Amino acid sequence: MPRLAAASLVGTAIEFFDFFVYGTAAALVLGPLFFPTFSPLAGTLAAFGTFAVGFLSRPMGSVLFGHIGDRHGRRPVLFASLLLTGCATVAVGCVPTYDAIGVAAPLLLLVLRFLQGLGLGGEWGGAVLLTAEHAPPHRRALWASFPQIGPAVGFLLANGAMLALTAGLSDADFRSWGWRVPFWAAGLLAAVGLLLRSSLAETPQFEELSASGRRASAPLAEVARDHWRLVLLTAGALAVGYAIFYAVSTWALAYGTEKLGVSSTVMLLCVMAAVAVKGAATPFLALLGDRWGRRPLCLAGCAAAALWMFPMVALLHTRQPLLMFLGFLGALLAFITMFAVVAAYLPELYEPRVRCTGAAVGYNLAGVLGGALTPIVATTLSEGGGSGPPWGVAAYLTVVALVSLGCFALLPETLPERRPQEAVEEEAEGVPA
């Protein structure tokens, strides 16, 4: 299990590095380079529009790779998705700007961002099922949480690279070529990830399905026919997590630098520190999910998010680094209280024969609802609001949290019943009974 968890964590970290580095570039530099004829606001919105395309293609990727995962195994998904995302990310770093090739530049960005999202849409399902289907039931949330640490690692790598480049280069050099370096580095990272995944074994549950001849012939059709309500509920439930994360990591970064006049270095450090704590807290919250259940943690995280959005916006508007960090940290801890357990929760909600498709489609539809729209909606709501805090953003995020809370309330609990031997093992590991 440690080897499987490590391979899943590294792979998701690399894929999310590819995905996040684009979001950071969109907030900092892509607007003026690829949409120079637009006003600053319109250029930022256009850059976030190309950012959103990656979320729109993620459900398509979950359908494509979910079919592969349910028909041919979880392992092939891990290779194909990582290769696709890595190649698309390297290509983004090679796209000429608008000044060089005109309108073809933003169009190329759009296509490559679409391919990034397509690959990431398959990555999550493959990585999570690899660990969840190998893990013992009484530790499933813990082991399945390691792929959920990957996004935090990927974010820190992406923003750490951008921070080093913005600090070490002049503004002209960063805009000329510096922003491209993290995209080029994605090729090396992808090669490392493919090497680490080369020795992974297929999951026991898929091998059992294959041996018994019970694999789904048309996974998407079966999910649409028999599990459509579950897909919609899981998408609505998880939307708040995406909304929170991209409000903090993308919208707040752009708002802080453009509207509040805070340096990009300070904003990146505040967000990165909060993400680092969130990543470190993930396995501990997953352990609580193994002890008390998946649904209670999800409900608690949603409720905390609904209560924290107005304080977060107020703390952001102080321009004080420590207070901004605390605002981001509270939001991300509410987020990870939910997302630490969803890697176990979603696979448990779906039957094994359509699990890769169902879980991945629900997860990535949530990305469209929460992640794709949030930077655009938040940027629009925060424009023209005078000198006070952008309360419209806080209200929007609170509404999303309340909708997700309602969806989680309609989902069942899936915590496996503990056998006596598992209780003995927990006591030996020091986990209170």
Side-chain angles (χ1 to χ4, degrees):
M1 284 310 306
R3 184 171 60 85
L4 288 168
S8 293
L9 190 159
V10 170
T12 52
I14 293 168
E15 291 242 27
F16 276 92
F17 167 86
D18 297 349
F19 203 71
F20 288 146
V21 78
Y22 190 101
T24 305
L28 296 178
V29 75
L30 294 187
L33 291 180
F34 288 87
F35 304 95
T37 60
F38 290 17
S39 68
L41 171 63
T44 300
L45 287 171
F48 283 155
T50 61
F51 173 76
V53 167
F55 286 98
L56 297 176
S57 62
R58 281 175 66 167
M60 301 179 195
S62 64
V63 169
L64 170 64
F65 290 105
H67 180 88
I68 295 172
D70 285 325
R71 287 291 302 154
H72 306 290
R74 317 325 190 189
R75 190 170 175 269
V77 172
L78 298 176
F79 289 91
S81 61
L82 183 56
L83 185 62
L84 175 60
T85 308
C87 290
T89 305
V90 172
V92 169
C94 301
V95 175
T97 63
Y98 185 93
D99 289 342
I101 60 173
V103 73
L107 289 177
L108 282 172
L109 274 188
L110 207 64
V111 171
L112 294 171
R113 182 61 175 173
F114 179 90
L115 294 176
Q116 269 193 329
L118 203 67
L120 192 63
E123 164 66 24
W124 185 85
V128 162
L129 291 189
L130 185 78
T131 50
E133 291 187 346
H134 274 100
H138 70 297
R139 284 288 177 265
R140 186 174 293 136
L142 172 63
W143 290 115
S145 73
F146 280 85
Q148 296 296 80
I149 301 172
V153 176
F155 181 86
L156 292 172
L157 288 173
N159 286 275
M162 285 293 189
L163 180 62
L165 289 164
T166 55
L169 297 174
S170 67
D171 185 63
D173 284 341
F174 179 73
R175 289 174 177 269
S176 174
W177 58 268
W179 68 272
R180 300 179 183 272
V181 173
F183 292 91
W184 295 335
L188 178 61
L189 292 176
V192 171
L194 291 170
L195 181 63
L196 286 172
R197 290 180 166 183
S198 62
S199 61
L200 297 180
E202 188 53 78
T203 70
Q205 290 189 26
F206 180 79
E207 290 182 338
E208 181 183 336
L209 281 173
S210 186
S212 63
R214 292 186 293 112
R215 288 177 297 170
S217 57
L220 179 61
E222 194 168 323
V223 167
R225 183 184 67 245
D226 301 331
H227 304 286
W228 62 270
R229 182 176 179 274
L230 183 56
V231 169
L232 294 179
L233 281 177
T234 52
L238 299 179
V240 64
Y242 282 98
I244 290 172
F245 190 85
Y246 288 99
V248 169
S249 65
T250 303
W251 167 75
L253 183 59
Y255 181 80
T257 54
E258 295 173 9
K259 294 284 288 185
L260 300 181
V262 181
S263 75
S264 59
T265 300
V266 170
M267 289 302 304
L268 282 170
L269 285 173
C270 289
V271 175
M272 287 171 64
V275 170
V277 177
K278 179 212 75 151
T282 302
F284 300 101
L285 289 164
L287 276 172
L288 295 180
D290 276 326
R291 183 67 187 89
W292 301 109
R294 292 48 162 135
R295 189 168 170 268
L297 263 72
C298 292
L299 292 172
C302 266
L307 294 171
W308 189 249
M309 294 301 96
F310 278 89
M312 183 195 78
V313 168
L315 291 169
L316 168 63
H317 212 260
T318 65
R319 300 177 174 85
Q320 298 300 312
L322 178 59
L323 296 179
M324 291 192 297
F325 161 72
L326 292 175
F328 298 153
L329 179 61
L332 291 181
L333 288 178
F335 155 77
I336 202 58
T337 300
M338 297 173 273
F339 273 55
V341 297
V342 298
Y345 195 17
L346 261 65
E348 290 169 348
L349 287 168
Y350 292 88
E351 57 182 307
R353 57 187 276 118
V354 295
R355 181 173 286 159
C356 197
T357 299
V361 169
Y363 188 86
N364 287 296
L365 275 178
V368 177
L369 299 174
L373 298 178
T374 292
I376 297 172
V377 172
T379 300
T380 303
L381 290 174
S382 59
E383 185 63 26
S387 59
W391 299 124
V393 177
Y396 166 74
L397 294 172
T398 302
V399 169
V400 175
L402 292 174
V403 170
S404 292
L405 183 66
C407 291
F408 273 124
L410 294 173
L411 289 171
E413 179 56 72
T414 62
L415 180 66
E417 189 172 334
R418 291 190 304 166
R419 298 191 298 270
Q421 178 59 33
E422 291 169 350
V424 171
E425 291 174 8
E426 286 187 2
E427 187 175 345
E429 293 168 4
V431 178

